[in-house]
Amino acid sequence: MLRYALLLAPSANRVYADAAGRLARAELTVFAGSGVLDAPPVDAAVERIGGVEYLTFAAPEPGPRDLAHLANLSAAYALFERVGDDLLRPVPLHPLARYDSDLITIPKYTGKTNEQFTRLLLNVTLLASASAPRMLDGPVVVLDPLCGRGTTLNQALMYGYDGIGVEHDGKDVDAYAAFLRTWLRRKRLKHTAEMVPVRRDRKLVARRFETVVAPSRDAHRAGATQRVTVLHADTTRAREVLRPRCADVIVTDAPYGVAHGSRTDAGLSRSPLDLLTAAVPVWRELLRPGGALGLSWNTHVAPRAEAEAVLTAAGLRVVDGPGWRDLAHRVDQAIERDVLVAVAPEENG
């Protein structure tokens, strides 16, 4: 067995940085148990080497595909093989990055979900789903039914996936549409983008922003055509504007019920649990067989057991085991964020 040390990426959020090592260990444990690695790592630990925090582990020499998976750990910055007690030999990493990183880092706004955490949530949800073997190659469709200004959708684009978002706040939809249009033009990427009304029985039920990005000419970033669709609609009525089984994974960061509530057509609710109770059965219909729903939320306003009960009542199986219960972390004084991932039955299940 060889020994490795993963240098953790710096985080602009100090509180999140304090939890980064522990979260990286939990995420690596999920990777190890997912079946996507030929040589799963063992003995993961958080250590300080030369005064710097690393995630260390042991594994047989990983092949190119294992390295390609590990490169996508949300906190991965650089990987080293440990030589003796004092030396670190660099191991090249090539994460999924179809576009420049400013697709993720440019948008700044109040309430934006931490970018590293968004990546972690997408990773663990995908690894729990039937789409896990396609993590590196796609195709994968990611749905965020509470998409805000599109942090999850942009991460899906970075991975080379298609994205679908639903958002009740029209200002957020317009802001995301304006950002993506501008960013694609500035990068000189061939694309189409349009905002159109969605009508049912001659009644306006939603607005749809749709972008289609053509394959890149850059050989290092080449891939299939990508599509991003954002619907200005109530997430509890998403079946009116989306076909069933349209998503491989659903990934969302639920409102925390502290600075703002969860708005639906019925009004403003301060309880994320009320929103989840109404929305999860709808989201369940949008998942393909074997698909997974990954949810983060504030446990101060919705205990884990109650959130699990909502997912189970919708016919989803909550994933448990090593790593899965180690993803809770503090965001601020009023928010303790946790993660739940639940899987839809396979077609013959």
Side-chain angles (χ1 to χ4, degrees):
M1 300 284 279
L2 302 177
R3 297 183 303 154
Y4 294 91
L6 185 77
L7 179 62
L8 303 179
S11 175
N13 184 304
R14 180 189 59 79
V15 176
Y16 190 83
D18 290 342
R22 179 175 57 79
L23 293 174
R25 180 181 178 181
E27 186 182 2
L28 180 65
T29 302
V30 170
F31 266 87
S34 68
V36 300
L37 302 178
D38 294 326
V42 297
D43 300 331
V46 179
E47 296 184 31
R48 298 192 79 83
I49 303 173
V52 178
E53 193 169 73
Y54 290 79
L55 175 65
T56 62
F57 59 91
E61 185 172 1
R65 196 161 180 86
D66 277 10
L67 285 175
H69 278 103
L70 294 176
N72 297 302
L73 283 161
S74 61
Y77 192 66
L79 180 65
F80 302 90
E81 180 187 346
R82 302 185 73 173
V83 182
D85 294 328
D86 302 318
L87 299 179
L88 298 176
R89 177 183 294 136
V91 178
L93 289 180
H94 302 287
L96 292 169
R98 189 164 178 182
Y99 304 105
D100 295 335
S101 62
D102 58 2
L103 173 62
I104 303 291
T105 59
I106 284 179
K108 304 290 184 185
Y109 51 89
T110 302
K112 179 182 179 180
T113 304
N114 179 286
E115 295 144 10
Q116 289 183 19
F117 177 73
T118 298
R119 192 173 178 186
L120 181 151
L121 183 58
L122 176 55
N123 283 347
V124 298
T125 306
L126 182 60
L127 291 170
S129 76
S131 300
R134 304 199 302 274
M135 181 177 192
L136 299 180
D137 314 302
V140 176
V141 178
V142 178
L143 167 63
D144 185 346
L146 301 167
C147 72
R149 297 193 184 185
T151 304
T152 299
L153 302 180
N154 288 343
Q155 183 58 60
L157 278 173
M158 285 291 287
Y159 273 5
Y161 306 156
D162 289 346
I164 303 172
V166 180
E167 175 52 46
H168 189 273
D169 189 331
K171 292 181 180 178
D172 282 349
V173 174
D174 292 338
Y176 179 68
F179 162 75
L180 193 57
R181 280 187 173 119
T182 300
W183 187 87
L184 289 168
R185 285 197 300 265
R186 188 165 57 83
K187 296 295 179 177
R188 298 183 180 179
L189 294 170
K190 187 176 180 181
H191 68 282
T192 61
E194 60 177 354
M195 183 82 75
V196 297
V198 179
R199 302 183 186 277
R200 295 287 182 271
D201 299 323
R202 298 183 179 181
K203 294 182 180 179
L204 180 68
V205 296
R207 291 186 300 144
R208 182 177 67 239
F209 171 68
E210 188 161 70
T211 301
V212 179
V213 186
S216 174
R217 295 180 180 179
D218 185 338
H220 297 289
R221 300 181 179 181
T225 297
Q226 287 181 269
R227 185 182 303 271
V228 177
T229 304
V230 181
L231 291 145
H232 175 201
D234 182 349
T235 193
T236 63
R237 302 175 64 178
R239 277 289 287 108
E240 296 180 12
V241 290
L242 290 171
R243 56 183 175 81
R245 300 184 175 189
C246 63
D248 295 299
V249 293
I250 295 176
V251 177
T252 199
D253 188 26
Y256 298 142
V258 179
H260 51 73
S262 310
R263 184 175 294 278
T264 69
D265 286 348
L268 185 66
S269 168
R270 287 289 175 183
S271 170
L273 196 62
D274 292 343
L275 172 66
L276 294 178
T277 300
V280 168
V282 178
W283 300 346
R284 166 69 181 85
E285 294 184 46
L286 302 175
L287 266 183
R288 291 172 181 158
L293 188 160
L295 168 72
S296 59
W297 82 106
N298 181 12
T299 59
H300 288 324
V301 296
R304 183 182 179 97
E306 294 183 15
E308 286 185 350
V310 171
L311 299 179
T312 301
L316 300 169
R317 174 181 59 83
V318 174
V319 182
D320 208 344
W324 290 102
R325 288 188 174 268
D326 300 322
L327 295 169
H329 57 283
R330 180 174 176 269
V331 176
D332 62 29
Q333 185 174 356
I335 301 170
E336 181 78 16
R337 185 164 56 192
D338 203 354
V339 172
L340 275 176
V341 176
V343 180
E346 297 277 4
E347 194 76 86
N348 56 356

